[in-house]
Amino acid sequence: MHHSIRNSLSRRSLALVPLALALLAPAARGGEAEALPPAVRDANAQLLSQFFAQGGASPAVLKYRRKLAEYQAARAAFDAEAGAYWSQISEKRKGRNAKRRSGQQVTLDDYVLEHPPLYNGPKRPANPEPEETPDRPAKKPIPVVADFLRAAQELYQFTPQRPASEVEFKRAYARYALASGLTREQAVRVYAFETGGTGSHDVQAGIEHGGKRAISTAMGYNQLLTTNSVELLAEQGHELIRALAEKVARTSGPARQALEHKLVVLKKMVAHAKSVPDTWSEHEKIGNTAQGWAMHAMVIDIDVGPMLQTHKLLTSVLFARAKGYSRPLTAAELEMMNLTGDGTGLDMVTMPQPMREQVPTSNFFQRGGYERNPVAIRHNTVAKLLAVTDERMDVNSGKPGARELAGAF
């Protein structure tokens, strides 16, 4: 953003200090009041009304109202500045996408090169008076492995076959990953990053390293969400069915019967996943139902789970290749695609090193996601974000789970 805009906004935020004098001064200085962004105007109006409504309030409430007005004014000024910045981010992104579609070269000018404004004004004060709060609907608990297993049993009369030991699952993953074109380095380092280097085949986000509560449905070595499972069944279903059918053909006796049942179930799941348009939002709708939970149970199955874990990463490798990117992806680059989505991730991956050092990470985020992401804020260029990802992979690759997985390759 132009420094002039930013300076005028930071000057403007000084003009919002809620002094009675400032409030009562005539507002028509060269039509400046008209130019205030709506959020700032509203905060000012609120300030004024609070200033005149102070009869009969206790000192604590008066202090609270003053602090609240200061907070609202500072917040409104920040929102006006941040809004301008993030709309510029979005414009530049549209421009890059258009350039790519028409085969033009993306350059440094196609990115916003300033870092986003971060709010450092006063915090929202606590109200000394009890407030009327509308009853919030209770948050739905996040489903866990027991829920996935129950859904698979109820909807498909199916129980995933768990490995006899963790190393058995790792060997199955390593075999399938290598045969599909992933490298040991990619698989082990992404596992190290995603699970901290110690995760089991059924580790769920939030319930690892002593955590007690699931924070998402992300599960396994590469942390698939329910939506990922639905999406992979829809998009890679033919490949999963083919590989499992080959295994059935090589098996005999009672083990074969169990595999045949699994194949019937897998075909039904794939048909259901394919029954909606192939979009993330449609797959997410299924992922939030018992149907999606049942599909997600396949992540912990010894036959299908390693294939799902592999395809979670392989889709990014193939996406890059299809876009003409022939150099093998490093594990950190692959993780960027895994975290931010293939299109956005590829934008970072195809960037030459000198540009990586200049381009802020904010170019690859939505505002809400960025402001809640301390890692992206602290490591605020593409080069720094890739470096910290690599560093974490280095550290966690020495942990027992990662060493065991490397051995399985």
Side-chain angles (χ1 to χ4, degrees):
M1 181 161 83
H2 294 301
H3 292 296
S4 58
I5 302 180
R6 179 168 295 172
N7 291 345
S8 71
L9 282 166
S10 44
R11 280 202 302 277
R12 188 171 294 153
S13 58
L14 293 176
L16 295 174
V17 177
L19 296 169
L21 287 171
L23 286 173
L24 299 172
R29 274 203 311 277
E32 205 175 309
E34 285 313 301
L36 287 177
V40 179
R41 273 209 311 276
D42 295 347
N44 280 353
Q46 206 159 355
L47 250 164
L48 259 175
S49 62
Q50 283 173 348
F51 178 73
F52 286 116
Q54 280 169 1
S58 71
V61 168
L62 288 179
K63 183 180 175 188
Y64 163 72
R65 284 184 192 158
R66 191 181 77 245
K67 294 268 183 220
L68 181 64
E70 283 172 18
Y71 163 76
Q72 285 167 332
R75 193 74 219 188
F78 166 73
D79 282 336
E81 182 180 1
Y85 177 90
W86 287 98
S87 61
Q88 199 181 356
I89 287 279
S90 150
E91 285 307 306
K92 290 277 193 187
R93 184 180 295 133
K94 282 181 198 150
R96 288 197 301 278
N97 291 342
K99 269 190 156 184
R100 283 205 181 83
R101 279 195 299 274
S102 62
Q104 289 171 271
Q105 186 64 43
V106 170
T107 68
L108 214 45
D109 290 342
D110 297 307
Y111 296 93
V112 176
L113 298 180
E114 282 96 27
H115 295 289
L118 291 172
Y119 180 70
N120 56 6
K123 285 193 171 68
R124 188 184 190 97
N127 190 348
E129 293 184 316
E131 286 185 69
E132 287 290 311
T133 48
D135 287 340
R136 278 204 194 128
K139 263 192 181 166
K140 269 194 191 158
I142 291 166
V144 293
V145 172
D147 301 304
F148 307 141
L149 293 174
R150 194 181 317 113
Q153 189 51 52
E154 285 172 5
L155 293 175
Y156 292 96
Q157 292 72 59
F158 173 70
T159 301
Q161 186 188 340
R162 307 293 284 263
S165 65
E166 198 55 42
V167 76
E168 184 194 1
F169 200 95
K170 287 187 168 126
R171 284 185 188 131
Y173 174 48
R175 264 198 312 276
Y176 188 78
L178 277 178
S180 304
L182 282 183
T183 66
R184 175 172 104 161
E185 187 238 14
Q186 287 168 332
V188 173
R189 288 174 72 78
V190 170
Y191 164 86
F193 184 88
E194 288 280 357
T195 72
T198 55
S200 58
H201 70 288
D202 59 354
V203 65
Q204 190 171 345
I207 317 182
E208 76 274 38
H209 315 305
K212 297 283 178 280
R213 230 185 53 222
I215 54 172
S216 82
T217 58
M219 194 161 63
Y221 297 166
N222 298 326
Q223 292 288 287
L224 282 76
L225 299 162
T226 49
T227 312
N228 290 120
S229 293
V230 178
E231 182 134 304
L232 289 168
L233 287 167
E235 294 174 358
Q236 312 299 324
H238 55 284
E239 172 53 34
L240 306 181
I241 288 166
R242 188 192 60 74
L244 190 60
E246 273 180 17
K247 185 158 192 175
V248 172
R250 293 195 304 270
T251 312
S252 56
R256 180 171 174 141
Q257 276 182 304
L259 275 178
E260 280 175 339
H261 175 55
K262 189 181 297 186
L263 184 58
V264 169
V265 169
L266 180 63
K267 284 177 175 171
K268 280 186 187 160
M269 286 181 176
V270 168
H272 195 98
K274 284 180 183 287
S275 68
V276 298
D278 185 7
T279 64
W280 180 264
S281 60
E282 287 296 329
H283 295 150
E284 191 170 32
K285 282 180 198 162
I286 297 180
N288 288 331
T289 66
Q291 184 75 52
W293 300 0
M295 293 178 184
H296 202 42
M298 279 295 191
V299 171
I300 56 185
D301 179 81
I302 184 66
D303 295 305
V304 182
M307 297 197 273
L308 290 170
Q309 295 293 349
T310 295
H311 284 285
K312 170 88 183 318
L313 302 186
L314 196 61
T315 45
S316 298
V317 171
L318 298 176
F319 179 86
R321 209 173 291 159
K323 295 286 182 195
Y325 193 71
S326 53
R327 184 173 66 68
L329 294 169
T330 68
E333 290 171 341
L334 184 52
E335 184 57 44
M336 280 307 119
M337 295 179 74
N338 200 12
L339 286 175
T340 61
D342 286 340
T344 303
L346 191 66
D347 195 354
M348 291 193 223
V349 166
T350 50
M351 194 181 284
Q353 188 59 30
M355 273 173 74
R356 287 181 179 185
E357 284 164 17
Q358 286 178 269
V359 173
T361 47
S362 53
N363 284 278
F364 309 98
F365 285 87
Q366 305 292 338
R367 177 180 170 182
Y370 184 86
E371 288 176 353
R372 283 195 304 272
N373 189 326
V375 175
I377 291 171
R378 203 173 311 123
H379 307 279
N380 58 9
T381 63
V382 174
K384 285 182 188 167
L385 191 59
L386 283 164
V388 73
T389 303
D390 255 329
E391 202 177 296
R392 203 163 293 178
M393 287 175 168
D394 287 341
V395 171
N396 292 340
S397 289
K399 305 263 180 75
R403 285 212 305 273
E404 187 176 71
L405 182 59
F409 276 81

